[in-house]
Amino acid sequence: LIQLDSEKAIDLLVNSVDEGVDGGASLEAQFATIVKQLHNDEKHLYEFLRSFFTKRKTDYNTEKLAEFHDFHVALCIKYQPELLLDFLKACSFYSMEAALVICRAHRPSPLYREIVFILGRMGGRQNTKQALNIIIEKLKDVHQAIEFVEREADEELWSILVAACVKDANLIGHLLQHAGAHNVDPVHLIRCIPEKMVVPGLSQGILKTFQDIKLQLHLREGCNSILKQDVLLLLK
């Protein structure tokens, strides 16, 4: 059947795995049997794993099926690397070290977004520094870099971000575009720009930064006003 209609066959396999009630085989035993049957057919094995993950995520993301998650990572990179990041975010029991090695070895280029996610999940200052450097140097995504640094709440990472951006006129321009909406000191940032560096859109970036800051101040004033009114109502 799998050769005649693989999609229907995979659906049947996914639905055939039950909770092992009434003394039947356990869910993990049934799952292992199917994986063993498809072991020499990588493409259909991957389709089974992906389908089970998509349709029965709660059942799949358990320690009972953890041994199959590394299979999933390896096969996903081989057949549908564009879906890997969603899997990495949704599941908790794959080996992060093994996933990191495979993502770095991927060709024609490493899977940088996935590497950043794994390093961030692994934690530790060395890993977060590596992740930030990849975002800046390989992805050149300043917005993601700012969000990453804010999430980590590490002052040293802010210094690394600013130091890296001031070496590249385009990056510093992008950083200015986003500085006002985030916890970035625009005055310090502007002072860090080398004197002879020509920054594309510098004036627009500075203008946007201070407009964003002004908007944040208005929002804070509005919130403070509402809080004061609430306090007065409570005191009455």
Side-chain angles (χ1 to χ4, degrees), residues 187-203:
V187 176
H188 171 69
L189 188 57
I190 292 166
R191 285 175 176 168
C192 287
I193 300 174
E195 287 185 15
K196 296 183 179 180
M197 178 178 282
V198 178
V199 180
L202 177 61
S203 57

Side-chain angles (χ1 to χ4, degrees), residues 140-203:
K140 296 189 181 296
D141 189 335
V142 172
H143 184 62
Q144 184 182 351
I146 294 173
E147 289 184 340
F148 182 84
V149 172
E150 284 190 329
R151 187 166 60 249
E152 295 298 323
D154 186 332
E155 288 298 322
E156 186 180 357
L157 293 180
W158 279 118
S159 300
I160 292 171
L161 174 58
V162 172
C165 285
V166 296
K167 297 176 184 177
D168 186 316
N170 289 317
L171 288 180
I172 197 68
H174 287 305
L175 185 55
L176 278 169
Q177 288 285 334
H178 296 292
H182 297 274
N183 188 28
V184 180
D185 181 355
V187 176
H188 171 69
L189 188 57
I190 292 166
R191 285 175 176 168
C192 287
I193 300 174
E195 287 185 15
K196 296 183 179 180
M197 178 178 282
V198 178
V199 180
L202 177 61
S203 57

